């Protein structure tokens, strides 16, 4: 509880700071990030629920996770970004073919996130829409599970835990955008390499590479809000496939604060079947 209180207190302080100084960065969708580095520091608080997720040893994982993120621009066209999943909770069923506790229900909780680990990412903008008619940037990052997820044991004293959830991740990719008459189109094309990631991949691989693909349209505002439509894919086109549609709304409150909310609709594979998301972005 103390860790969570500190995070929300920090968020409150950054919100007050954002009231004093306006940032200079366009609104973004929830998942798909713009190549534009901007000139303002940012602080984000995110919430996302999920259902029916399949992992290595469990299935029908229903729950929610929260993420805090701070990013800072430097040297004109560079940005450094730090993300931290500070709470994940849910329940799941041990797979029926598992040799211990098959078909039994367990609770899962901790500060480890699920597929999104604690990460530090370096971003470099190469082109801007104003200069070239399109934006282009690349990013490189590294991360690790900050704290293992823990489960309740259906058989107390057995010494068995169905979720170990350890490992590291390396990130790399490019981000592109272009403005059209209907709004702002953004695409992210990336790869993730998970190392020693026990109990994560449904195919049981501890080390694996997945494509991290995102595309979004942030439509011109309808009154005070921007409708947004995102499509994301995380997987290897084989054992792991998470294809998700994110329809939502972005409400900019001046240049200082953006509020975002919407649904997450699974379109197949072993990712979330349905969920919701909300995010607050503070610039200062």
């Amino acid at each position: 509880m103390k860790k969570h209180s500190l995070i929300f207190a920090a968020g409150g302080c950054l919100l007050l700071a954002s009231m004093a100084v306006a940032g200079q960065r366009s609104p973004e969708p929830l998942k798909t990030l713009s190549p534009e580095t901007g000139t303002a520091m940012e602080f984000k608080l995110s919430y996302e629920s999920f259902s029916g997720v399949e992992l290595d040893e469990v299935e029908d994982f229903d729950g929610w996770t929260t993420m805090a993120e701070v990013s800072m621009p430097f040297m004109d066209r560079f940005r450094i970004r730090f993300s931290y999943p500070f709470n994940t909770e849910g329940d799941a069923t041990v797979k029926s073919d598992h040799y211990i506790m098959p078909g039994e229900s367990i609770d899962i909780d901790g500060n480890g996130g699920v597929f999104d680990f604690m990460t530090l990412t370096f971003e470099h903008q190469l082109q801007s829409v104003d200069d070239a008619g399109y934006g282009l940037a690349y990013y490189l990052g590294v991360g690790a599970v900050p704290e293992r997820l823990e489960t309740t044991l259906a058989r107390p004293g057995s010494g068995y835990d169905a979720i170990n959830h350890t490992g590291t991740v390396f990130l790399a990719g490019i981000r592109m955008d272009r403005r059209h008459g209907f709004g702002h189109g953004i695409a992210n094309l990336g790869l993730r390499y998970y190392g020693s990631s026990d109990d994560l991949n449904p195919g049981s691989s501890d080390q694996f590479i997945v494509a991290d693909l995102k595309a979004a349209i942030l439509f011109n505002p309808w009154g005070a809000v921007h409708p947004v439509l995102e499509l994301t894919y995380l997987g290897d086109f084989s054992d792991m496939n998470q294809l998700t549609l994110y329809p939502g709304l972005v409400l900019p409150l001046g240049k200082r604060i953006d509020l975002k909310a919407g649904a997450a609709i699974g379109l197949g594979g072993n990712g979330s079947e349905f969920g919701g998301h909300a995010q607050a972005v503070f610039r200062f």
Side-chain angles (χ1 to χ4, degrees):
M1 293 298 296
K2 291 183 179 180
K3 182 184 292 184
H4 298 170
S5 299
L6 287 173
I7 291 172
F8 283 108
C13 292
L14 294 177
L15 173 59
L16 292 176
S18 71
M19 297 297 184
V21 182
Q24 299 177 13
R25 201 163 184 238
S26 302
E28 289 179 314
L30 180 79
K31 298 287 186 176
T32 313
L33 299 183
S34 169
E36 178 185 356
T37 52
T39 60
M41 290 183 62
E42 289 184 350
F43 180 75
K44 296 180 181 179
L45 283 175
S46 304
Y47 165 90
E48 186 164 3
S49 63
F50 52 85
S51 63
V53 175
E54 180 186 354
L55 301 178
D56 182 10
E57 298 187 359
V58 301
E59 58 190 357
D60 297 325
F61 184 16
D62 303 336
W64 55 272
T65 190
T66 48
M67 178 84 72
E69 178 181 287
V70 61
S71 66
M72 178 186 300
F74 66 98
M75 292 176 61
D76 192 20
R77 288 193 174 186
F78 296 88
R79 179 174 287 267
I80 195 80
R81 185 184 305 271
F82 176 73
S83 302
Y84 183 83
F86 63 90
N87 198 39
T88 298
E89 293 188 17
D91 57 78
T93 302
V94 179
K95 288 183 175 179
S96 59
D97 61 353
H98 201 277
Y99 63 97
I100 298 178
M101 299 163 46
E104 297 197 43
S105 179
I106 56 174
D107 293 332
I108 301 173
D109 66 86
N111 296 322
V114 185
F115 288 92
D116 294 323
F117 297 173
M118 175 181 67
T119 57
L120 182 67
T121 309
F122 166 84
E123 305 169 8
H124 179 199
Q125 182 180 351
L126 303 174
Q127 296 283 0
S128 69
V129 171
D130 293 338
D131 295 337
Y134 65 94
L136 180 64
Y138 69 88
Y139 65 90
L140 301 169
V142 62
V145 175
E147 183 178 313
R148 287 172 52 166
L149 297 178
E150 297 181 351
T151 68
T152 56
L153 298 177
R155 295 174 182 171
S158 68
Y160 173 74
D161 197 332
I163 293 291
N164 291 321
H165 196 251
T166 58
T168 57
V169 65
F170 297 91
L171 317 170
I174 60 173
R175 298 183 180 132
M176 302 171 288
D177 72 337
R178 192 178 183 92
R179 296 193 181 276
H180 302 273
F182 53 82
H184 190 186
I186 310 173
N188 297 172
L189 307 176
L191 294 173
R192 298 187 188 184
Y193 169 74
Y194 288 93
S196 303
S197 56
D198 195 20
D199 296 340
L200 191 62
N201 190 325
S204 300
S205 299
D206 290 345
Q207 300 178 3
F208 56 98
I209 298 175
V210 293
D212 186 7
L213 311 177
K214 304 180 179 75
I217 300 174
L218 185 71
F219 293 96
N220 292 330
W222 297 359
V225 302
H226 292 264
V228 62
L229 193 63
E230 292 184 82
L231 184 65
T232 71
Y233 175 79
L234 184 69
D236 57 9
F237 306 100
S238 179
D239 295 324
M240 180 176 158
N241 292 284
Q242 298 183 4
L243 182 63
T244 309
L245 181 69
Y246 290 89
L249 298 172
V250 178
L251 173 62
L253 301 180
K255 294 183 177 180
R256 303 173 179 86
I257 303 172
D258 292 342
L259 302 179
K260 310 174 189 181
I265 304 169
L267 300 181
N270 38 39
S272 177
E273 296 173 355
F274 187 78
H277 62 80
Q279 185 181 84
V281 181
F282 310 116
R283 299 185 182 88
F284 53 99

